[in-house]
Structures are given as structure tokens and as C-alpha cells.
């Protein structure tokens, strides 16, 4: 079990550039979550998928953010254009079923810095 | 909707001392409860979970937590901490019904001093 894999681990970009974060969930898991962590706001849920279908994206800050899950083994979170306030650690997590009693398995995150 | 309050943002403690990290929740329905740990530069890892049954739950690394329904609490305890327990600890709650999405607390930073 390789765990949830995120890439890149660190991303430094200039304001206005497009940023793409990638996630490979644990094989067999059918739920995927994107979180953002900052000192100010803690852990925020951005969007989650069940069986590759977006269920709730109400946590996405604005239209500059978009997420896709083209298949069960890959998801992307895109920010276009990026802004300095997007600087945060972005986590992807997966779960083996869409139920409240199933814990989340987190990746090691992508630390994004927008200058 | 549920909510989680972690009363202490930071808990300093000496090595080999006992520790308790507090978590209170609010929900109109029955809940599942979780504690996660986050080591520096890593993602969150599950420490333990309460789903049903015995209110005392044992997890990894010698941690345990007790579910108290009347006080709506799920405090995390360890009788003797180690330097390696220094990390951020998150309490989370999810409803038995509803969206199933866990709500996380703001986290408690446990700092173990030698």
C-alpha cells in the first residue's frame, strides 16, 4: 500500500501563473477529498468526489479553482490565475467508502507558495 | 450541522508526563469521532476512532480516548509522552446521517520537552 501520493511536494510560482496539483488515491478507494491548510483558517475542505463524480464543491474559494477526477486513480486541482493568498498546503485524501465511519487517508501535501 | 472545538491550541509537557488533549463537539444526531496526528511536513494520520460500543478507545502509539456522550467530549490521553509525540493533533466528527463528511477541529499542538 503506497498510500496517497501527491505531486509536487513543493511549488513556487509567480502571481498570475497556472498551478496544477496532482493526486493519486489509494487503489480501491472510491472517495477523494481536497483540503487546504493555513495557519489562519486551519483545515478547509475544498471539494470531494465519490466514484469520480464531484459531490460538493462549495468549499472551492472562487472560480479560479477547479478540480477534476478523470478516473479512479488520478485527480487534479488547478488554480488559474494564482494569487499570493492561495499560498497554503494542499492535501488530498481518500477513503474506501463514502460513509461517516470510514477514516480518511491523507497524502503528504503540496506546499504552494505564490509570490 | 456538526462542529468541533479543541480547547487548547498548544499544550507543552515534559517527557514521560501524562497528557490530555481536549475535544468537544456539537451535533444534533449521533456521531462518529476520530483523532488524527500530523507530524511536521506530513499529512494527517489516523490515531484512533470511535464508531460504537465501548466508550474507551485505544489507538496507536499508546494513545487512548474516551467518548462521553453527556458531555459531548472525546478527549485524547496518553499516560507517558515521548519526544516523538511532538506533533499537531486534530479531532474530527462525522454524522451517522447526512453528508458523512468529517468536520475537523483547529488542532492542538503538543510540544514535548526533554
Amino acid at each position: 500500500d503506497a498510500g496517497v501520493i501527491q505531486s509536487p511536494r513543493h511549488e513556487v510560482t509567480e502571481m498570475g501563473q497556472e498551478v496544477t496539483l496532482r493526486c493519486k488515491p489509494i487503489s480501491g478507494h472510491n472517495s477523494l477529498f481536497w483540503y487546504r491548510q493555513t495557519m489562519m483558517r486551519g483545515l478547509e475542505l475544498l471539494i470531494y468526489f465519490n466514484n469520480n463524480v464531484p459531490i460538493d464543491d462549495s468549499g472551492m474559494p472562487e472560480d479560479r479553482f477547479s478540480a477534476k477526477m478523470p478516473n479512479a486513480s488520478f485527480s487534479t486541482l488547478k488554480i488559474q490565475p494564482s494569487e499570493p493568498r492561495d499560498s497554503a498546503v494542499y492535501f488530498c485524501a481518500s477513503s474506501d467508502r463514502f460513509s461517516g465511519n470510514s477514516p480518511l487517508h491523507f497524502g503528504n501535501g503540496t506546499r504552494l507558495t505564490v509570490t | 450541522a456538526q462542529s468541533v472545538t479543541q480547547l487548547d491550541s498548544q499544550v507543552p509537557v515534559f517527557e514521560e508526563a501524562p497528557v490530555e488533549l481536549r475535544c468537544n463537539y456539537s451535533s444534533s444526531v449521533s456521531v462518529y469521532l476520530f483523532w488524527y496526528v500530523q507530524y511536521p511536513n506530513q499529512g494527517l494520520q489516523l490515531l484512533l476512532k470511535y464508531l460504537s460500543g465501548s466508550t474507551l478507545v485505544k489507538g496507536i502509539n499508546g494513545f487512548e480516548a474516551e467518548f462521553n456522550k453527556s458531555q459531548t467530549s472525546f478527549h485524547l490521553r496518553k499516560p507517558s509522552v515521548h519526544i516523538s509525540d511532538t506533533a499537531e493533533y486534530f479531532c474530527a466528527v462525522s454524522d451517522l446521517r447526512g453528508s458523512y463528511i468529517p468536520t475537523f477541529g483547529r488542532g492542538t499542538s503538543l510540544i514535548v520537552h526533554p
Side-chain angles (χ1 to χ4, degrees):
Chain A
D1 182 356
V4 175
I5 299 172
Q6 292 187 247
S7 64
R9 285 299 310 273
H10 302 274
E11 178 79 43
V12 180
T13 191
E14 292 184 347
M15 183 175 64
Q17 296 297 307
E18 178 179 295
V19 175
T20 299
L21 311 181
R22 296 173 176 79
C23 174
K24 176 179 169 56
I26 292 173
S27 177
H29 282 194
N30 64 2
S31 296
L32 184 138
F33 306 78
W34 282 101
Y35 284 88
R36 178 171 69 176
Q37 186 178 41
T38 61
M39 290 292 291
M40 289 291 292
R41 297 186 174 187
L43 204 59
E44 301 175 274
L45 177 64
L46 301 178
I47 185 172
Y48 61 95
F49 296 82
N50 189 44
N51 292 325
N52 312 338
V53 176
I55 304 299
D56 186 348
D57 65 353
S58 60
M60 298 284 257
E62 46 198 276
D63 292 345
R64 297 184 297 107
F65 286 69
S66 62
K68 293 182 180 179
M69 193 166 185
N71 57 62
S73 59
F74 184 65
S75 178
T76 59
L77 178 67
K78 185 176 293 186
I79 308 173
Q80 166 63 18
S82 57
E83 297 183 3
R85 59 190 167 131
D86 302 330
S87 296
V89 181
Y90 291 81
F91 288 103
C92 174
S94 69
S95 176
D96 62 357
R97 58 188 180 279
F98 192 59
S99 68
N101 62 0
S102 184
L104 303 185
H105 298 257
F106 284 78
N108 284 329
T110 295
R111 182 175 296 276
L112 174 64
T113 303
V114 183
T115 60
Chain B
Q2 67 261 26
S3 66
V4 178
T5 302
Q6 291 185 244
L7 297 164
D8 306 299
S9 60
Q10 200 172 87
V11 173
V13 64
F14 287 106
E15 193 174 18
E16 297 183 5
V19 70
E20 177 180 85
L21 306 184
R22 296 181 292 171
C23 172
N24 287 86
Y25 69 92
S26 67
S27 176
S28 58
V29 298
S30 296
V31 297
Y32 300 118
L33 294 156
F34 306 83
W35 275 100
Y36 289 83
V37 60
Q38 183 181 28
Y39 299 105
N41 299 315
Q42 294 185 26
L44 282 69
Q45 306 171 33
L46 182 68
L47 259 184
L48 49 81
K49 61 185 177 183
Y50 171 79
L51 305 181
S52 65
S54 172
T55 57
L56 183 63
V57 180
K58 294 189 183 297
I60 61 172
N61 301 339
F63 284 92
E64 63 181 31
E66 186 159 18
F67 170 53
N68 188 319
K69 188 174 182 179
S70 63
Q71 297 189 6
T72 61
S73 68
F74 191 54
H75 301 332
L76 181 70
R77 302 186 183 99
K78 186 170 183 177
S80 175
V81 294
H82 191 267
I83 294 285
S84 60
D85 292 323
T86 295
E88 193 83 12
Y89 291 79
F90 293 88
C91 182
V93 59
S94 62
D95 284 350
L96 265 64
R97 301 191 298 267
S99 71
Y100 301 136
I101 304 305
T103 298
F104 285 86
R106 289 299 305 271
T108 297
S109 179
L110 175 63
I111 302 169
V112 182
H113 298 286

